[in-house]
PDB file of all heavy atoms in Angstrom:
ATOM      1  N   SER N  94       0.118 -27.919   1.979  1.00 63.00           N
ATOM      2  CA  SER N  94      -1.226 -28.327   1.531  1.00 63.00           C
ATOM      3  C   SER N  94      -1.284 -28.621   0.054  1.00 63.00           C
ATOM      4  O   SER N  94      -2.276 -28.353  -0.600  1.00 63.00           O
ATOM      5  CB  SER N  94      -2.239 -27.233   1.888  1.00 63.00           C
ATOM      6  OG  SER N  94      -2.224 -26.976   3.269  1.00 63.00           O
ATOM      7  N   GLY N  95      -0.223 -29.158  -0.516  1.00 71.00           N
ATOM      8  CA  GLY N  95      -0.219 -29.511  -1.912  1.00 71.00           C
ATOM      9  C   GLY N  95      -0.361 -28.324  -2.842  1.00 71.00           C
ATOM     10  O   GLY N  95      -0.945 -28.433  -3.934  1.00 71.00           O
ATOM     11  N   GLY N  96       0.139 -27.171  -2.424  1.00 71.00           N
ATOM     12  CA  GLY N  96       0.035 -25.980  -3.222  1.00 71.00           C
ATOM     13  C   GLY N  96       0.686 -26.092  -4.545  1.00 71.00           C
ATOM     14  O   GLY N  96       1.513 -26.956  -4.816  1.00 71.00           O
ATOM     15  N   LYS N  97       0.326 -25.179  -5.465  1.00 71.00           N
ATOM     16  CA  LYS N  97       0.780 -25.286  -6.837  1.00 71.00           C
ATOM     17  C   LYS N  97       2.181 -24.732  -7.050  1.00 71.00           C
ATOM     18  O   LYS N  97       2.753 -24.876  -8.115  1.00 71.00           O
ATOM     19  CB  LYS N  97      -0.191 -24.640  -7.791  1.00 71.00           C
ATOM     20  CG  LYS N  97      -0.401 -23.149  -7.626  1.00 71.00           C
ATOM     21  CD  LYS N  97      -1.409 -22.646  -8.644  1.00 71.00           C
ATOM     22  CE  LYS N  97      -1.598 -21.145  -8.557  1.00 71.00           C
ATOM     23  NZ  LYS N  97      -2.575 -20.670  -9.516  1.00 71.00           N
ATOM     24  N   GLY N  98       2.739 -23.997  -6.033  1.00 76.00           N
ATOM     25  CA  GLY N  98       4.171 -23.771  -6.005  1.00 76.00           C
ATOM     26  C   GLY N  98       4.734 -22.544  -6.627  1.00 76.00           C
ATOM     27  O   GLY N  98       5.944 -22.452  -6.804  1.00 76.00           O
ATOM     28  N   SER N  99       3.932 -21.527  -6.965  1.00 83.00           N
ATOM     29  CA  SER N  99       4.508 -20.352  -7.633  1.00 83.00           C
ATOM     30  C   SER N  99       5.396 -19.524  -6.690  1.00 83.00           C
ATOM     31  O   SER N  99       6.243 -18.784  -7.153  1.00 83.00           O
ATOM     32  CB  SER N  99       3.389 -19.451  -8.180  1.00 83.00           C
ATOM     33  OG  SER N  99       2.524 -18.983  -7.139  1.00 83.00           O
ATOM     34  N   LEU N 100       5.195 -19.665  -5.372  1.00 92.00           N
ATOM     35  CA  LEU N 100       6.048 -18.958  -4.413  1.00 92.00           C
ATOM     36  C   LEU N 100       7.201 -19.851  -3.893  1.00 92.00           C
ATOM     37  O   LEU N 100       8.072 -19.352  -3.224  1.00 92.00           O
ATOM     38  CB  LEU N 100       5.218 -18.449  -3.217  1.00 92.00           C
ATOM     39  CG  LEU N 100       4.246 -17.334  -3.500  1.00 92.00           C
ATOM     40  CD1 LEU N 100       3.506 -16.963  -2.224  1.00 92.00           C
ATOM     41  CD2 LEU N 100       4.944 -16.092  -4.053  1.00 92.00           C
ATOM     42  N   GLY N 101       7.151 -21.126  -4.160  1.00 90.00           N
ATOM     43  CA  GLY N 101       8.160 -22.003  -3.644  1.00 90.00           C
ATOM     44  C   GLY N 101       7.903 -22.337  -2.164  1.00 90.00           C
ATOM     45  O   GLY N 101       6.826 -22.101  -1.620  1.00 90.00           O
ATOM     46  N   CYS N 102       8.927 -22.831  -1.497  1.00 88.00           N
ATOM     47  CA  CYS N 102       8.799 -23.274  -0.117  1.00 88.00           C
ATOM     48  C   CYS N 102       8.765 -22.071   0.826  1.00 88.00           C
ATOM     49  O   CYS N 102       9.568 -21.140   0.735  1.00 88.00           O
ATOM     50  CB  CYS N 102       9.989 -24.141   0.276  1.00 88.00           C
ATOM     51  SG  CYS N 102      10.090 -25.689  -0.657  1.00 88.00           S
ATOM     52  N   VAL N 103       7.786 -22.072   1.737  1.00 90.00           N
ATOM     53  CA  VAL N 103       7.697 -21.090   2.826  1.00 90.00           C
ATOM     54  C   VAL N 103       7.404 -21.846   4.115  1.00 90.00           C
ATOM     55  O   VAL N 103       6.553 -22.717   4.154  1.00 90.00           O
ATOM     56  CB  VAL N 103       6.595 -20.057   2.555  1.00 90.00           C
ATOM     57  CG1 VAL N 103       6.478 -19.089   3.740  1.00 90.00           C
ATOM     58  CG2 VAL N 103       6.861 -19.299   1.267  1.00 90.00           C
ATOM     59  N   ASP N 104       8.158 -21.550   5.158  1.00 93.00           N
ATOM     60  CA  ASP N 104       7.941 -22.176   6.446  1.00 93.00           C
ATOM     61  C   ASP N 104       6.533 -21.849   6.943  1.00 93.00           C
ATOM     62  O   ASP N 104       6.239 -20.638   7.184  1.00 93.00           O
ATOM     63  CB  ASP N 104       8.985 -21.668   7.427  1.00 93.00           C
ATOM     64  CG  ASP N 104       8.900 -22.328   8.792  1.00 93.00           C
ATOM     65  OD1 ASP N 104       7.930 -23.062   9.043  1.00 93.00           O
ATOM     66  OD2 ASP N 104       9.821 -22.090   9.590  1.00 93.00           O
ATOM     67  N   PRO N 105       5.656 -22.816   7.148  1.00 94.00           N
ATOM     68  CA  PRO N 105       4.301 -22.513   7.613  1.00 94.00           C
ATOM     69  C   PRO N 105       4.235 -21.845   8.965  1.00 94.00           C
ATOM     70  O   PRO N 105       3.255 -21.153   9.268  1.00 94.00           O
ATOM     71  CB  PRO N 105       3.615 -23.887   7.596  1.00 94.00           C
ATOM     72  CG  PRO N 105       4.696 -24.888   7.649  1.00 94.00           C
ATOM     73  CD  PRO N 105       5.850 -24.268   6.934  1.00 94.00           C
TER      74      PRO N 105
END
Side-chain angles (χ1 to χ4, degrees):
S94 303
K97 63 181 183 180
S99 61
L100 290 179
C102 297
V103 177
D104 183 351

